[in-house]
Amino acid sequence: MKYIIAVIQPHRVDDVLDELTKNEIHLATVANILGRGRQKGISEVYRSHKEAGSLLKKVKIEIAVNDDYVDAAVAAITAGAKTGEIGDGKIFVLDLHDCIRIRTGEKGTDAIG
Amino acid sequence: METKMKWRWPGVIAIICGMFSLVPEVLAESEPAIDSGDTAFVLICAALVLLMTPGLAFFYGGLVRKKNFLSVLMQCFVIIGIITLQWVLWGYSLAFGPGELIKGFVGNFDYVGLKGVGMEPNGTIPHLAFMVFQGMFAIITPALIVGAFAERVRFSAMCIFMVLWATFVYDPVCHWVWGSGGFMGAMGALDFAGGTVVHINAGIAALVFAIFIGKRKGYPNKMSPPHNLPFAVLGTGILWFGWFGFNAGSALAADGVAASAFVVTHVATAAALVTWAILDWIFNQKPTVLGVITGAVGGLVAITPASGFVNPTGAIAIGVGSSLLCYFFVSCVKPKFGYDDTLDVFGVHGIGGIWGAIATGFLADEAIGGTAGSLAQTWIQTKSVAITIIYTLVVTTILLFVVNFFIKIRVTEEEELIGLDLSDHRETAYTILD
């Protein structure tokens, strides 16, 4: 089991979710966030966030997947989020220790799907 | 009764004056006189009508997505600026010029830069008061169109389009109905506060613009719901409040007609609001906030042309009819044809305006505006509606092609995805951190 965290451009969210759906990955948690990467907040001309100075608006997508789906998920996120410009974001893949479905008490790989 | 008294007095004075040979000359110079009550009323009404445009901005702004909120506020606000200048420089002259450039069609250039428009009386109010009151109408009409192309229009192209539209569509149509010598006024068409001039005009232009600019990316299946309905409710409240200035103020005097227009405006809006809630309850399981405010705006629109001519029961009929028709257009016709009139400018202002203008023909009460409802009057109303629709349709289309030739009216796909707040104005409405 892996836990995938992707930090992407806000306007690519719909495309990323579409790509994930195409690969039968339907479960995702999405949040608006602020952050900064290598470009240190000096992104493309019109995306600077004046008040926060060095922080840019991003969207974080988090997905828990079984091992079989990791490559597909990473490929889907990349396909949806890539514009080729600085600021496209990053994907982090973490080992996932356990997963419990609250309603049934199922654990592990059964609980993810 | 009051109006009759008013008219009788000058006659009585004239007869008395006739007995003294010297006095009439003095009186002829001092008449017509400025009435302080009327002047105060019209100036306050002008301020109320101005407030409608920021109200409209919040009504529209609450309904768009978060990333386009500022752009809608900005579009409405900038229209206040540019149309005020257009109105002062040449718009007022084209609409209300003392002579006509083309007979019955458009005014001349005598009032360009407000030359000759001063403190002297125009009726019982200073000419400047009349000019500024009418100017507020000229502002809100193009601002209404903003709702049709929200979330995807290029700001610069919009500004240029609005100046051209005000000049070639609003000003002539305003002259037809209210200008001296305008052919629609001469036809006997009744339009108390701007059903044809403001609402049908803007509604049809909105439909043309929405079709021309195309659907938003993701419409209709992947659109987020309105980003802030409370703002839309607040905006509607401001619109309703301002609308009293719009309709009652159109009496241009603080008299019985103004009071009547005030009351029927309120009654029709209430009827439309309740009707829409009931329709929502029947067809959507629950009455919705968005439905109630949409119904209220539709009712305000529909009563506008009728406000100086119908009685309160007529107003209820107009309000109920407005919600029935607008509901049908917004929830059935729009999805069927698939055009993306983003905030239903055509469905509410166009359809509400057409209904109100035609209904004025058969619901008019002779005791109020001096014209009784009749088949003949309804026919005149229908003709005036048809002429307005055709003219606006044709000229708006031409203007869109002209502007689009020089500046692309639609933003790029990436700008649309990012949102117009950032891409057109480099600002955002909301921050994430405090």
Side-chain angles (χ1 to χ4, degrees):
Chain A
M1 291 183 294
K2 300 285 183 199
Y3 196 70
I4 300 173
I5 299 171
V7 176
I8 61 165
Q9 295 278 30
H11 66 272
R12 307 306 307 175
V13 177
D14 284 342
D15 286 354
V16 169
L17 292 177
D18 279 350
E19 291 291 332
L20 286 169
T21 310
K22 276 186 210 161
N23 288 284
E24 296 178 351
I25 301 164
H26 304 286
L27 304 154
T29 307
V30 180
N32 278 318
I33 54 161
L34 293 177
R36 59 179 170 186
R38 244 190 334 183
Q39 82 271 41
K40 292 173 188 138
I42 309 149
S43 176
E44 297 90 294
V45 213
Y46 44 73
R47 286 183 212 166
S48 61
H49 189 267
K50 270 184 192 160
E51 289 75 19
S54 60
L55 294 172
L56 295 170
K57 281 186 175 180
K58 299 283 175 188
V59 163
K60 183 163 74 168
I61 299 181
E62 296 176 273
I63 317 164
V65 290
N66 286 318
D67 291 342
D68 299 348
Y69 282 91
V70 176
D71 291 343
V74 170
I77 294 168
T78 311
K82 188 168 182 174
T83 67
E85 287 172 52
I86 194 162
D88 275 355
K90 284 207 176 69
I91 302 172
F92 308 101
V93 182
L94 288 71
D95 280 327
L96 184 59
H97 182 65
D98 205 353
C99 172
I100 299 105
R101 177 173 279 138
I102 294 173
R103 176 170 55 87
T104 57
E106 287 168 285
K107 283 194 165 187
T109 55
D110 290 340
I112 284 185
Chain B
M1 269 309 276
E2 262 184 21
T3 29
K4 275 182 187 164
M5 285 296 282
K6 249 188 187 169
W7 284 109
R8 216 174 277 159
W9 275 112
V12 176
I13 294 167
I15 292 163
I16 298 166
C17 292
M19 299 170 185
F20 308 94
S21 57
L22 276 174
V23 186
E25 272 185 36
V26 179
L27 265 176
E29 270 176 24
S30 66
E31 209 194 20
I34 286 174
D35 183 286
S36 63
D38 290 349
T39 307
F41 178 65
V42 170
L43 287 175
I44 290 168
C45 284
L48 283 175
V49 180
L50 171 70
L51 189 62
M52 288 171 71
T53 301
L56 180 80
F58 270 88
F59 174 61
Y60 283 170
L63 299 179
V64 297
R65 287 170 289 179
K66 210 157 53 165
K67 61 185 176 182
N68 297 311
F69 183 25
L70 281 181
S71 78
V72 170
L73 297 185
M74 178 73 169
Q75 286 157 11
C76 291
F77 234 77
V78 158
I79 285 172
I80 298 179
I82 55 182
I83 301 300
T84 298
L85 296 176
Q86 186 268 354
W87 188 248
V88 165
L89 292 176
W90 66 85
Y92 180 67
S93 195
L94 292 179
F96 291 99
E100 290 183 309
L101 220 53
I102 304 168
K103 196 169 163 21
F105 185 79
V106 69
N108 65 7
F109 289 116
D110 283 7
Y111 288 158
V112 161
L114 299 188
K115 187 160 53 81
V117 180
M119 293 178 278
E120 74 289 349
N122 180 329
T124 59
I125 60 173
H127 196 170
L128 280 170
F130 176 76
M131 183 285 298
V132 81
F133 180 69
Q134 287 295 338
M136 301 312 179
F137 285 60
I139 289 166
I140 189 154
T141 310
L144 290 171
I145 308 172
V146 166
F149 54 63
E151 304 197 300
R152 61 203 187 281
V153 77
R154 190 180 304 283
F155 182 69
S156 54
M158 185 222 68
C159 292
I160 292 165
F161 172 82
M162 286 307 176
V163 173
L164 294 174
W165 192 84
T167 306
F168 291 102
V169 181
Y170 183 81
D171 296 342
V173 175
C174 180
H175 181 82
W176 300 353
V177 179
W178 294 323
S180 62
F183 78 86
M184 243 180 222
M187 240 164 70
L190 303 177
D191 186 358
F192 192 69
T196 43
V197 183
V198 176
H199 296 289
I200 298 176
N201 220 352
I204 299 297
L207 179 65
V208 174
F209 208 130
I211 293 169
F212 183 89
I213 198 171
K215 297 173 202 176
R216 285 165 296 167
K217 191 179 156 57
Y219 179 85
N221 297 322
K222 287 171 66 182
M223 300 314 290
S224 316
H227 98 276
N228 193 328
L229 270 178
F231 272 147
V233 177
L234 176 69
T236 309
I238 295 174
L239 272 174
W240 193 334
F241 179 68
W243 225 293
F244 291 125
F246 200 89
N247 288 359
S250 290
L252 296 174
D255 60 8
V257 178
S260 172
F262 191 111
V263 170
V264 295
T265 299
H266 193 62
V267 171
T269 310
L273 182 164
V274 172
T275 306
W276 198 295
I278 293 169
L279 290 170
D280 248 357
W281 222 325
I282 296 170
F283 296 109
N284 280 336
Q285 287 85 46
K286 297 281 181 197
T288 61
V289 173
L290 180 54
V292 163
I293 59 176
T294 309
V297 172
L300 287 163
V301 168
I303 194 63
T304 298
S307 54
F309 304 106
V310 299
N311 56 33
T313 36
I316 293 175
I318 284 182
V320 171
S322 144
S323 276
L324 290 174
L325 283 166
C326 294
Y327 190 93
F328 174 68
F329 265 83
V330 169
S331 58
C332 301
V333 175
K334 184 167 96 156
K336 181 135 178 93
F337 286 88
Y339 57 88
D340 183 9
D341 174 7
T342 311
L343 307 174
D344 294 310
V345 185
F346 172 69
V348 175
H349 292 270
I351 298 303
I354 290 168
W355 157 247
I358 294 174
T360 306
F362 55 87
L363 290 173
D365 180 346
E366 197 168 4
I368 291 167
T371 312
S374 64
L375 211 59
Q377 187 61 43
T378 311
W379 174 236
I380 295 173
Q381 296 299 106
T382 312
K383 270 195 297 185
S384 74
V385 168
I387 294 167
T388 312
I389 292 175
I390 293 164
Y391 181 78
T392 310
L393 196 85
V394 172
V395 181
T396 307
T397 310
I398 295 169
L399 293 179
L400 283 168
F401 275 104
V402 170
V403 174
N404 200 45
F405 181 77
F406 294 103
I407 307 172
K408 285 275 161 286
I409 288 181
R410 187 166 179 146
V411 295
T412 65
E413 196 182 310
E414 202 194 5
E415 286 169 325
E416 189 179 337
L417 281 172
I418 290 167
L420 302 187
D421 290 5
L422 268 177
S423 65
D424 258 353
H425 308 294
R426 279 205 209 178
E427 289 170 306
T428 48
Y430 303 100
T431 56
I432 294 180
L433 297 181
D434 287 339

